[in-house]
Amino acid sequence: PNKVLLDLNINFGTCVGNSTDGVADVQGQFRGFSTRADATGSASCHATKPDMLNVHLVPHTHDDVGWLKTVDQYYYGDRNDIQHAGVQYILDSVVDQLIKNPDRRFIYVETAFFYRWWKQQSSATQQTVKQLVDEGRLEFVNGGWCMSDEATTHYSAVIDQMTIGLRFLNETFGPCGRPRVAWHIDPFGHAREHASMFAQMGYDGLFFGRLDYQDRAHRMREKEQELLWRASDSLTPPMADLFTGILPNGYNPPEGFCWDQFCDDPPIRDDPDLEDYNVDDVVKRFLAIAKNQATVYKTNHIIMTMGSDFQYENANLWYKNLDKLIHYVNALQAKGSKVNVLYSTPSCYLQELHRANLTWALKTDDFFPYADDAHDFWTGYFTSRPALKRYERISNGNLQVICNQLEVLGGPVSRKGPFGEGDSQTMKKAMAVAQHHDAVSGTEKQHVANDYARKLAEGWQHCQVVVSNSLAGLSSSSAERIYCDNLNVSVCPLTDLLLFIINNTDPMHLVHVNCTCMCFLNIIHMTKYRKLNICVYVLQFLQVTFDPDTGLLSSLSNLETKQTIKLTQNFYWYNASDGKNMDSSQPSGAYIFRPNSSTPFGISRTAKTETVQTSVVQEVRQWFAPWVSQVVRLYTDSRTLELEWTVGPVPIDDHLGKEVITRLDTSIKTSEIFYTDSNGREVLQRRKDFRPTWQLKQSEPIAGNYYPINSRAFIKDDEDQLTVVTDRSQGGASIQNGSLEIMLHRRLLYDDFRGVGEPLNEISSIFPEGLVVRGRLLLSLDRPPTAADTHRPLAQQVVLQPLFKWFCPVSQLRTHHVACFSGLQAALPPAVHLLTLTQWDKDKVLLRLEHQFQSWESKRNSKPVTVNLQKLFSTLDVLGASELNLSANQWKDEMSRFDWTPQTDHSDWEVTLRPMEIRTFLLRVRLR
Amino acid sequence: PNKVLLDLNINFGTCVGNSTDGVADVQGQFRGFSTRADATGSASCHATKPDMLNVHLVPHTHDDVGWLKTVDQYYYGDRNDIQHAGVQYILDSVVDQLIKNPDRRFIYVETAFFYRWWKQQSSATQQTVKQLVDEGRLEFVNGGWCMSDEATTHYSAVIDQMTIGLRFLNETFGPCGRPRVAWHIDPFGHAREHASMFAQMGYDGLFFGRLDYQDRAHRMREKEQELLWRASDSLTPPMADLFTGILPNGYNPPEGFCWDQFCDDPPIRDDPDLEDYNVDDVVKRFLAIAKNQATVYKTNHIIMTMGSDFQYENANLWYKNLDKLIHYVNALQAKGSKVNVLYSTPSCYLQELHRANLTWALKTDDFFPYADDAHDFWTGYFTSRPALKRYERISNGNLQVICNQLEVLGGPVSRKGPFGEGDSQTMKKAMAVAQHHDAVSGTEKQHVANDYARKLAEGWQHCQVVVSNSLAGLSSSSAERIYCDNLNVSVCPLTDLLLFIINNTDPMHLVHVNCTCMCFLNIIHMTKYRKLNICVYVLQFLQVTFDPDTGLLSSLSNLETKQTIKLTQNFYWYNASDGKNMDSSQPSGAYIFRPNSSTPFGISRTAKTETVQTSVVQEVRQWFAPWVSQVVRLYTDSRTLELEWTVGPVPIDDHLGKEVITRLDTSIKTSEIFYTDSNGREVLQRRKDFRPTWQLKQSEPIAGNYYPINSRAFIKDDEDQLTVVTDRSQGGASIQNGSLEIMLHRRLLYDDFRGVGEPLNEISSIFPEGLVVRGRLLLSLDRPPTAADTHRPLAQQVVLQPLFKWFCPVSQLRTHHVACFSGLQAALPPAVHLLTLTQWDKDKVLLRLEHQFQSWESKRNSKPVTVNLQKLFSTLDVLGASELNLSANQWKDEMSRFDWTPQTDHSDWEVTLRPMEIRTFLLRVRLR
């Protein structure tokens, strides 16, 4: 690919920076700088002392992109009655303080906030900030739009949010603004897929703060808090290898050394004329903490995170005392002290670890579930706010499949056309914000959850214009389109309207816009049903039986593979602990799942049923309680059984919080093992009451066995694999042999003391009695060696299934003509998923192709596969292509130390994808 | 006096400043400046618009010199768990923000804090701050060491604390640092004597925030919130005339416009791309408030105080939003708005009021008592912490009479001599801090009260060295002196020691150092008593009778004037409201006095008595209860009756808070009128249930009639005047005809919701059962026309009576020789009080002479009196003298617009004092 052709306006390359060598500070310290030896970053790191314990002080703020307040309230410092936090002031203050002393350092993380601030600055301030970045005094870490949640996000949305954040930094600051370190200090457990993505984005390392308390204790004993995470079982090392550091104190400063305006720790009082001169005491306490911390890490470098949530709004308090701390601690070196303290950044610290040239423990599993105490498992949020989780997921599908791709396909007219001005950017930002670890996670306050949804809805509005414009161009008809956005929660007036649905569940066919017009799939209001009374449903591929006494499922058969399992399914609820009469005072809440008994209550032992059959679909409708029902569906042409559940309003008249699950009990011999995906991508094995890297002492037999399910979970033995594909992120577990349970909904009466300060009790004007949630589980029964051939494309279809519907009046239908076409020249190979196709700038599009199979899971598909970029699109000429790193902020060939090898077996236009590989391209295109 | 001779090193003169005319700000506003027309100040005031309503925004912080935290804790921001407040950061932040935009203004008040900060700054920062001061961007207002309390302070200590604060500003910033405005926004009521002092210190005006809620309502109706205060009935106007402004909202910003980090008001959100754009709403609310405020003031200028307690620690929050407010409000002028908003200072605002050339209401009384609601009279603090009030008072006496004057007398050896290095500066600063309105007022937390006392004790230590050195020089003997500082609370081991007492109660005789050696006055431990049983005590001047049935006083006679009154005296307590069962929920507390009944409980109807008589004194000892006793004393050579009361520990076993009074009931026909002094100086008339300037609706018949007594109170009719001289500040009232009550001690069980957050319940290791307090009331019975001739010198004696005692071993006594001498050439005339004699610098001393009689109170003494400065001292040659304003930060002849008239009837060395006049001189002296 001809990178040079694309190089214009792309601000990549290597950070050179300007060393500030020789600038004296107030105390006359740290006049010397060493430039990073590996020359990959911009920071001018302070010199360290090889014969001493070097303490790296990292000033930082952790700015949630929404939590107790909305992202805009946090930015402006509005609603400080809820929480005092104003990001605009943080950035104002930090920049001022960095200018005052060139020794000082700061890191910034969340580009969603930085971007807002930047555009309000004068050009003089912008120039100053650029200089601070160039000199490594202000360093961006992570740099995505937000710090994404790891348990409930889908990799496609995470890659997107990282891309828009990093793109802003790149375009604003060039290579010196490119983060070298991933910084996930707050998420509540850590996904292996996140580590894999970070590695592929070119990060040198990852730091985080939260992990299981037993895991931490073990790692402290073994000095394994710094490790090498091999984050893929498919990608060739070191492609997905990521150095990972566990911070010593979450992301907080050591006890007694918090000097923010929110803290009460004693400032350094160094005027001997005033009372309470405390320098000696402060220095003594600091040295003790530093030496103690050094005993649980491997090198003579340790890191201290000097900051916390929304800190540095008045950075002077921090820096004034840190300046003094550094001065007085280092002054003791003249008296023989062997402790050297310095302003630092994560990348400077990481560089020193790299220089240490040691060996590091290897980890291949993940960091779920996270418990911070024996009865405090953060496994509730895997399911919290199921409606928001679904809305985020369908928004993603629409953005990826409809909005982005129709924008590319339609050309400039998509953004400005007969239906006005539209954009995909609003939805991209709304989706990026929604990836935050208090957004889709469901751990924000109710009004903030509403704001995330509002932002997504606004994104839909902007996308609808793009779609209308694009379709008008493609169909040469500007007939009015009417959108019905609330189809999922209300019924549209269908009189005089005819429903059109884009059923592009396979993103490869994303541009077959109108080929499926008139399909009534899943729109039951427009289908006439006929009641049937037979207890066996047989279609082309599957057979399902129901117990006539209970009305529950009793077996499932795959007619092609001739396999049958016993399968019963029912709904239950765990009684959420209220924290009042248990071993600990921990209640269930937005974060924490803590049932007060390991045995869930059944909703009902039997279901009232009703059956419906058409030529397209057979349904059994089950009623378990006024607030729990289900439709079991078999479509004629489908290999999956659909369970469409409806739960809510969860009753709380009995003053008991409820965590509602559905449980599948099968004849499969699971040996206490089940499998879950990581961020919708690679699958990990889970074993009951077991952690791969330490001896678990299980204290919560249910909550301690819950894992996040993003897109699928399965159980299997040698003969059978039952895969469940979900339509949103949920928590799940396998407590009994052959069993798989998935938590669907939660309604709780107590806050769980993790800061959100509200019980998770969703009520709205639409649902005044409590939130009703509907969703689907898709079941697939296969032989294990071929199961992935089914569930991989199935899961992609569910994830990316657009619910974007539009309408045109019946009266206009006859005159409404659209030619059927596909944007692809030919179908892609089954292993290849078109992950991203989106407009980058005027004449370039961003393309990501991925191999969607793990190396071990399919004999047929787990092989390298080759695609020709020039032969990809039917309506676009690809004039040039350059490969980038996963986050599209660096040329792929500059990402690694290895030289790029231009000679291959393929032409320049052909790219090979190995299992689980994602490759990212910038294409220069022209509409044909 | 030859001012030129002294002019060296004195940084007086006129502020010229540097106009910053023409500097553009961010918004392009306020590029024009007008220089103050009267050319007396340094500020370059922003131009106003004559045809508009001009809103002067005054950014400010109110930094208590101790309250919930000690002054040093406040400075450093220590103990932020008690209250978040760190003055070092406030000044850091404000200076940074002033630099950012030349339009911005700030005022600073408390030099105790500013001084600490200044000495820690680099010379570059100091230079920057000087420039800000020169340009009027940073303006000092008030400028004393603290913002003194007005109800419980003595004028001598207030003048001192103002002097050291203003001297620092003068020496640091020159004339541009000289405050033009007195700023007493927080004190809880306002003393006329304070206004008089401010006028004599050269202030252009006074602003304050607190006054009686009925008074404010009345003044709002009448537009009399800005007025002319004629603060003396003796000094010739306009000597004590002071323009006085009552601020619109205490000292807080208008509701909804507080943008400090402590506030939750919505910031200005002016980015239309973010949610909740609110500029229109903010501007609308602001205009409504401004227009409403303008209806209760006289001119088309109004002031808004944009700040509050310890605000501006992060000044960016304030200024960023104020910048926007000014920009958006003034932008509406283009659309016809007639409101102009600007950054301003009190002196700029005052200048506009002066230019308005209107007439203003005249006020001649004071602003006591202060009530902020019907049952919320701030009259408890007149007595709160009686032991601290006494310690402050005796510290003042020692500083004025012993430490300052012996330092002058002894010459340089006083500060560095055989006993080491000493100074008066430590005591001066401790005393200055103690004048703060939450210090001697007794309204601070217990640990802070302890710190004030600790600071005073440290001052005593430093003074003792000065005294020892000075005496060693004067006596040519460096025999060891042993000090017994705790004589007032414990008993010294007197074996082998002989007690020496300096009895310089008359400051005119301050330098008669050892003439009164061996006087055993008031040291009962060393006097052998003989019990007497006679029921009538007659000495040279007075006769007292006791009721033999009750043991109480029954009459008092003056044998010289041949007058007799009935006089009974007893002890009572008011039951402090607990706020639980009354018309309002207001309890009594450190600030508030609120008895739950107007009838006090008697301690006992009778007293057990014991009598003692020596050649020096006759005593009757009365026991009323285990916790209340009294010694009634007549000294042989005294014209006053001494009542030495002891109260405590006040019992609280009954869970009732108690406010203990003593009440004198006499046959004097008082017509519900009594008299109290103002800050120990001029006396004001008080009438029950009456206020001179508005129709009082009395809602607290006891608390609403209490007034502060600093040194004396009296009742009188045509025949008799009974004057009570107190030994500390106390509250008092005259509820019944002929009656005078004084509150002695308070022990309370509830906080009174004014912020201190503690009940006033004093317990210490010395007094684990509750504080015991001892004090003295001196009674004088006279004919009204001559009463002042007695009580004026008597009160000075009590105020300035030093308790500084020192000891030398008996074994050394015989070899211990000191020549008796006086530092004065001759006694001063009775009307003249030597208020201040203290070392100013190497060869200069500061001298204040005052006429201590009001114009109407003594036929003999209320006349002008002349003193010759060169003939004043016995051991000092006065080489030069220049007169200054009262606070010694300006030449007297530069203080007024009037030309100095060099031709007088007197020589250059002779000065005339008119009634109540204080004159302040800087003398260049040489020891003879």
Side-chain angles (χ1 to χ4, degrees), chain A residues 72 78 84 89 92 96 100 119 261 269 273 275 313-314 316 320-321, chain B residues 72 78 84 89 92 96 100 119 261 269 273 275 313-314 316 320-321:
Chain A
D72 289 352
D78 195 17
H84 187 99
Y89 306 124
D92 287 346
D96 278 357
K100 280 186 184 292
K119 67 177 188 163
Q261 69 179 25
R269 299 181 298 258
D273 291 350
E275 59 182 290
E313 184 172 309
N314 192 358
N316 178 41
K320 193 169 189 175
N321 285 285
Chain B
D72 289 353
D78 197 16
H84 186 99
Y89 306 124
D92 287 345
D96 280 357
K100 280 185 186 290
K119 67 177 189 163
Q261 68 179 24
R269 300 180 299 259
D273 290 350
E275 58 181 288
E313 184 170 308
N314 192 358
N316 178 40
K320 193 169 188 177
N321 285 286

Short mmCIF file of all heavy atoms in Angstrom, two decimals, chain A residues 72 78 84 89 92 96 100 119 261 269 273 275 313-314 316 320-321, chain B residues 72 78 84 89 92 96 100 119 261 269 273 275 313-314 316 320-321:
data_model
loop_
_atom_site.label_atom_id
_atom_site.label_comp_id
_atom_site.label_asym_id
_atom_site.label_seq_id
_atom_site.Cartn_x
_atom_site.Cartn_y
_atom_site.Cartn_z
N ASP A 72 -21.26 16.64 30.74
CA ASP A 72 -21.20 18.09 30.59
C ASP A 72 -21.23 18.80 31.94
O ASP A 72 -20.57 19.83 32.13
CB ASP A 72 -22.35 18.58 29.69
CG ASP A 72 -22.13 18.17 28.25
OD1 ASP A 72 -21.04 17.66 27.93
OD2 ASP A 72 -23.05 18.34 27.43
N ASP A 78 -20.85 22.03 36.95
CA ASP A 78 -22.24 22.28 37.30
C ASP A 78 -22.68 21.22 38.32
O ASP A 78 -22.04 20.19 38.48
CB ASP A 78 -23.10 22.18 36.03
CG ASP A 78 -24.48 22.79 36.24
OD1 ASP A 78 -24.66 23.54 37.21
OD2 ASP A 78 -25.36 22.53 35.41
N HIS A 84 -18.55 17.79 43.97
CA HIS A 84 -17.73 18.91 43.53
C HIS A 84 -16.74 18.42 42.48
O HIS A 84 -15.83 17.67 42.80
CB HIS A 84 -16.98 19.55 44.70
CG HIS A 84 -16.28 20.80 44.26
ND1 HIS A 84 -16.80 22.05 44.46
CD2 HIS A 84 -15.14 20.97 43.56
CE1 HIS A 84 -16.01 22.94 43.93
NE2 HIS A 84 -14.99 22.32 43.36
N TYR A 89 -11.83 23.56 35.09
CA TYR A 89 -10.92 24.21 36.03
C TYR A 89 -9.67 23.35 36.28
O TYR A 89 -8.60 23.88 36.55
CB TYR A 89 -11.64 24.48 37.35
CG TYR A 89 -12.93 25.26 37.22
CD1 TYR A 89 -14.12 24.75 37.73
CD2 TYR A 89 -12.95 26.50 36.59
CE1 TYR A 89 -15.31 25.46 37.62
CE2 TYR A 89 -14.14 27.22 36.47
CZ TYR A 89 -15.33 26.70 37.00
OH TYR A 89 -16.48 27.40 36.89
N ASP A 92 -7.39 24.11 33.38
CA ASP A 92 -6.87 25.48 33.59
C ASP A 92 -5.73 25.47 34.61
O ASP A 92 -4.66 26.03 34.40
CB ASP A 92 -7.97 26.39 34.17
CG ASP A 92 -9.05 26.79 33.17
OD1 ASP A 92 -8.83 26.60 31.96
OD2 ASP A 92 -10.10 27.28 33.62
N ASP A 96 -1.50 26.02 34.31
CA ASP A 96 -0.85 27.13 35.04
C ASP A 96 0.30 26.63 35.90
O ASP A 96 1.37 27.24 35.97
CB ASP A 96 -1.86 27.83 35.96
CG ASP A 96 -2.72 28.83 35.21
OD1 ASP A 96 -2.48 29.01 33.99
OD2 ASP A 96 -3.62 29.41 35.83
N LYS A 100 4.75 26.93 35.92
CA LYS A 100 5.50 27.54 37.02
C LYS A 100 6.82 26.83 37.31
O LYS A 100 7.71 27.43 37.91
CB LYS A 100 4.65 27.54 38.30
CG LYS A 100 3.64 28.66 38.32
CD LYS A 100 2.93 28.69 39.68
CE LYS A 100 1.85 29.74 39.69
NZ LYS A 100 2.36 31.12 39.63
N LYS A 119 -10.95 23.39 22.75
CA LYS A 119 -11.59 24.25 21.75
C LYS A 119 -12.02 25.58 22.34
O LYS A 119 -12.38 26.49 21.61
CB LYS A 119 -12.74 23.54 21.05
CG LYS A 119 -13.93 23.24 21.92
CD LYS A 119 -15.04 22.61 21.07
CE LYS A 119 -16.31 22.48 21.91
NZ LYS A 119 -17.50 22.26 21.12
N GLN A 261 -7.49 19.59 47.16
CA GLN A 261 -8.47 20.36 47.93
C GLN A 261 -9.52 19.45 48.57
O GLN A 261 -10.18 19.86 49.53
CB GLN A 261 -9.16 21.39 47.05
CG GLN A 261 -10.07 20.78 45.99
CD GLN A 261 -10.76 21.85 45.14
OE1 GLN A 261 -10.27 22.95 45.02
NE2 GLN A 261 -11.90 21.51 44.56
N ARG A 269 4.47 21.95 56.44
CA ARG A 269 4.59 23.24 57.12
C ARG A 269 6.06 23.45 57.44
O ARG A 269 6.58 22.91 58.41
CB ARG A 269 3.74 23.20 58.39
CG ARG A 269 2.25 22.97 58.11
CD ARG A 269 1.43 22.96 59.38
NE ARG A 269 1.83 21.89 60.26
CZ ARG A 269 1.19 20.74 60.42
NH1 ARG A 269 0.09 20.50 59.74
NH2 ARG A 269 1.64 19.83 61.25
N ASP A 273 8.99 29.57 61.86
CA ASP A 273 8.39 30.62 62.69
C ASP A 273 6.94 30.32 63.06
O ASP A 273 6.40 30.94 63.96
CB ASP A 273 8.42 31.97 61.96
CG ASP A 273 9.83 32.50 61.83
OD1 ASP A 273 10.73 31.92 62.47
OD2 ASP A 273 10.03 33.46 61.09
N GLU A 275 3.68 27.65 64.03
CA GLU A 275 3.51 26.48 64.87
C GLU A 275 3.50 25.22 64.01
O GLU A 275 3.22 25.24 62.83
CB GLU A 275 2.20 26.58 65.65
CG GLU A 275 0.97 26.70 64.76
CD GLU A 275 -0.32 26.85 65.59
OE1 GLU A 275 -0.72 25.86 66.21
OE2 GLU A 275 -0.88 27.95 65.60
N GLU A 313 -8.23 20.27 40.66
CA GLU A 313 -8.99 21.46 40.28
C GLU A 313 -8.25 22.71 40.77
O GLU A 313 -8.36 23.77 40.20
CB GLU A 313 -10.39 21.40 40.89
CG GLU A 313 -11.26 22.56 40.47
CD GLU A 313 -12.71 22.40 40.89
OE1 GLU A 313 -13.30 21.34 40.62
OE2 GLU A 313 -13.24 23.33 41.55
N ASN A 314 -7.52 22.53 41.86
CA ASN A 314 -6.62 23.59 42.32
C ASN A 314 -5.24 22.96 42.48
O ASN A 314 -4.82 22.57 43.56
CB ASN A 314 -7.11 24.17 43.65
CG ASN A 314 -6.38 25.44 44.01
OD1 ASN A 314 -5.47 25.87 43.29
ND2 ASN A 314 -6.75 26.03 45.12
N ASN A 316 -2.32 23.87 42.49
CA ASN A 316 -1.30 24.50 43.33
C ASN A 316 -1.12 23.76 44.65
O ASN A 316 0.00 23.61 45.15
CB ASN A 316 -1.70 25.96 43.59
CG ASN A 316 -0.74 26.69 44.50
OD1 ASN A 316 0.47 26.54 44.40
ND2 ASN A 316 -1.27 27.48 45.42
N LYS A 320 2.59 22.51 45.15
CA LYS A 320 3.36 23.25 46.15
C LYS A 320 3.92 22.28 47.19
O LYS A 320 5.08 22.38 47.60
CB LYS A 320 2.46 24.29 46.80
CG LYS A 320 3.18 25.32 47.63
CD LYS A 320 2.23 26.47 48.02
CE LYS A 320 3.00 27.60 48.66
NZ LYS A 320 2.16 28.77 48.95
N ASN A 321 3.09 21.33 47.61
CA ASN A 321 3.54 20.38 48.61
C ASN A 321 4.44 19.31 48.02
O ASN A 321 5.39 18.85 48.68
CB ASN A 321 2.33 19.77 49.32
CG ASN A 321 1.70 20.75 50.30
OD1 ASN A 321 2.24 21.00 51.37
ND2 ASN A 321 0.57 21.35 49.92
N ASP B 72 -2.40 29.63 62.32
CA ASP B 72 -1.39 28.95 61.52
C ASP B 72 -2.00 27.80 60.72
O ASP B 72 -1.58 27.51 59.60
CB ASP B 72 -0.24 28.45 62.42
CG ASP B 72 0.60 29.62 62.93
OD1 ASP B 72 0.37 30.75 62.48
OD2 ASP B 72 1.47 29.40 63.78
N ASP B 78 -3.90 23.50 57.10
CA ASP B 78 -3.84 22.30 57.92
C ASP B 78 -5.22 22.05 58.54
O ASP B 78 -6.06 22.93 58.59
CB ASP B 78 -2.81 22.53 59.04
CG ASP B 78 -2.37 21.23 59.69
OD1 ASP B 78 -2.62 20.15 59.09
OD2 ASP B 78 -1.79 21.28 60.78
N HIS B 84 -12.28 23.37 55.48
CA HIS B 84 -11.36 23.49 54.36
C HIS B 84 -10.99 24.95 54.19
O HIS B 84 -11.82 25.77 53.81
CB HIS B 84 -11.96 22.95 53.08
CG HIS B 84 -10.95 22.94 51.98
ND1 HIS B 84 -10.25 21.82 51.63
CD2 HIS B 84 -10.44 23.93 51.22
CE1 HIS B 84 -9.39 22.12 50.68
NE2 HIS B 84 -9.50 23.40 50.41
N TYR B 89 -2.74 29.26 49.85
CA TYR B 89 -3.19 28.94 48.50
C TYR B 89 -4.08 30.05 47.93
O TYR B 89 -4.11 30.29 46.72
CB TYR B 89 -3.95 27.62 48.50
CG TYR B 89 -3.19 26.46 49.11
CD1 TYR B 89 -3.73 25.73 50.16
CD2 TYR B 89 -1.94 26.12 48.63
CE1 TYR B 89 -3.05 24.65 50.71
CE2 TYR B 89 -1.25 25.05 49.18
CZ TYR B 89 -1.80 24.32 50.22
OH TYR B 89 -1.12 23.26 50.75
N ASP B 92 -1.67 32.66 46.64
CA ASP B 92 -1.06 32.12 45.42
C ASP B 92 -2.01 32.26 44.23
O ASP B 92 -1.65 32.73 43.15
CB ASP B 92 -0.79 30.60 45.57
CG ASP B 92 0.37 30.29 46.51
OD1 ASP B 92 1.14 31.21 46.84
OD2 ASP B 92 0.49 29.11 46.91
N ASP B 96 -1.99 34.76 40.74
CA ASP B 96 -1.97 34.14 39.40
C ASP B 96 -3.11 34.66 38.52
O ASP B 96 -2.93 34.94 37.34
CB ASP B 96 -2.10 32.62 39.52
CG ASP B 96 -0.78 31.96 39.87
OD1 ASP B 96 0.23 32.68 39.97
OD2 ASP B 96 -0.77 30.73 40.04
N LYS B 100 -3.54 37.25 34.91
CA LYS B 100 -4.12 36.78 33.65
C LYS B 100 -4.96 37.82 32.92
O LYS B 100 -5.18 37.72 31.72
CB LYS B 100 -4.99 35.55 33.90
CG LYS B 100 -4.18 34.28 34.04
CD LYS B 100 -5.11 33.07 34.17
CE LYS B 100 -4.31 31.83 34.45
NZ LYS B 100 -3.50 31.40 33.29
N LYS B 119 6.57 36.74 53.08
CA LYS B 119 7.96 36.42 53.39
C LYS B 119 8.38 35.08 52.80
O LYS B 119 9.56 34.77 52.79
CB LYS B 119 8.22 36.49 54.89
CG LYS B 119 7.54 35.44 55.72
CD LYS B 119 7.95 35.58 57.19
CE LYS B 119 7.44 34.39 57.99
NZ LYS B 119 8.11 34.23 59.27
N GLN B 261 -15.11 27.48 44.97
CA GLN B 261 -15.09 26.01 45.07
C GLN B 261 -16.02 25.50 46.17
O GLN B 261 -16.42 24.36 46.16
CB GLN B 261 -13.67 25.50 45.31
CG GLN B 261 -13.11 25.88 46.66
CD GLN B 261 -11.70 25.32 46.87
OE1 GLN B 261 -10.99 25.07 45.91
NE2 GLN B 261 -11.32 25.14 48.11
N ARG B 269 -22.43 28.46 31.53
CA ARG B 269 -22.17 27.45 30.51
C ARG B 269 -22.49 28.07 29.17
O ARG B 269 -23.64 28.14 28.76
CB ARG B 269 -23.05 26.22 30.78
CG ARG B 269 -22.78 25.60 32.16
CD ARG B 269 -23.65 24.38 32.42
NE ARG B 269 -25.06 24.71 32.41
CZ ARG B 269 -25.80 24.88 33.49
NH1 ARG B 269 -25.27 24.72 34.68
NH2 ARG B 269 -27.08 25.17 33.38
N ASP B 273 -22.48 24.05 22.14
CA ASP B 273 -22.39 22.65 21.75
C ASP B 273 -22.65 21.70 22.92
O ASP B 273 -22.89 20.51 22.71
CB ASP B 273 -20.99 22.33 21.20
CG ASP B 273 -20.76 22.99 19.85
OD1 ASP B 273 -21.74 23.51 19.28
OD2 ASP B 273 -19.62 23.00 19.39
N GLU B 275 -24.59 20.60 26.62
CA GLU B 275 -25.96 20.68 27.12
C GLU B 275 -26.08 21.84 28.10
O GLU B 275 -25.12 22.31 28.68
CB GLU B 275 -26.34 19.37 27.81
CG GLU B 275 -25.42 19.00 28.96
CD GLU B 275 -25.82 17.67 29.60
OE1 GLU B 275 -26.84 17.62 30.28
OE2 GLU B 275 -25.07 16.69 29.41
N GLU B 313 -9.55 30.25 47.17
CA GLU B 313 -8.42 29.32 47.21
C GLU B 313 -8.14 28.82 45.79
O GLU B 313 -7.02 28.47 45.47
CB GLU B 313 -8.75 28.15 48.14
CG GLU B 313 -7.59 27.19 48.30
CD GLU B 313 -7.83 26.16 49.39
OE1 GLU B 313 -8.17 26.57 50.52
OE2 GLU B 313 -7.68 24.96 49.10
N ASN B 314 -9.19 28.76 44.99
CA ASN B 314 -9.02 28.49 43.56
C ASN B 314 -9.71 29.61 42.82
O ASN B 314 -10.84 29.48 42.36
CB ASN B 314 -9.61 27.12 43.22
CG ASN B 314 -9.19 26.66 41.84
OD1 ASN B 314 -8.49 27.39 41.13
ND2 ASN B 314 -9.63 25.49 41.46
N ASN B 316 -9.54 30.91 40.04
CA ASN B 316 -9.94 30.72 38.65
C ASN B 316 -11.44 30.52 38.51
O ASN B 316 -12.07 31.01 37.59
CB ASN B 316 -9.18 29.52 38.09
CG ASN B 316 -9.55 29.20 36.65
OD1 ASN B 316 -9.73 30.09 35.83
ND2 ASN B 316 -9.69 27.92 36.35
N LYS B 320 -13.11 33.24 36.18
CA LYS B 320 -13.52 32.75 34.87
C LYS B 320 -15.01 33.06 34.65
O LYS B 320 -15.42 33.49 33.58
CB LYS B 320 -13.26 31.25 34.79
CG LYS B 320 -13.35 30.66 33.40
CD LYS B 320 -12.82 29.22 33.38
CE LYS B 320 -12.72 28.71 31.95
NZ LYS B 320 -12.14 27.36 31.89
N ASN B 321 -15.79 32.84 35.70
CA ASN B 321 -17.22 33.09 35.57
C ASN B 321 -17.55 34.58 35.64
O ASN B 321 -18.46 35.05 34.95
CB ASN B 321 -17.98 32.29 36.62
CG ASN B 321 -18.05 30.81 36.26
OD1 ASN B 321 -18.79 30.42 35.37
ND2 ASN B 321 -17.24 29.98 36.91
#
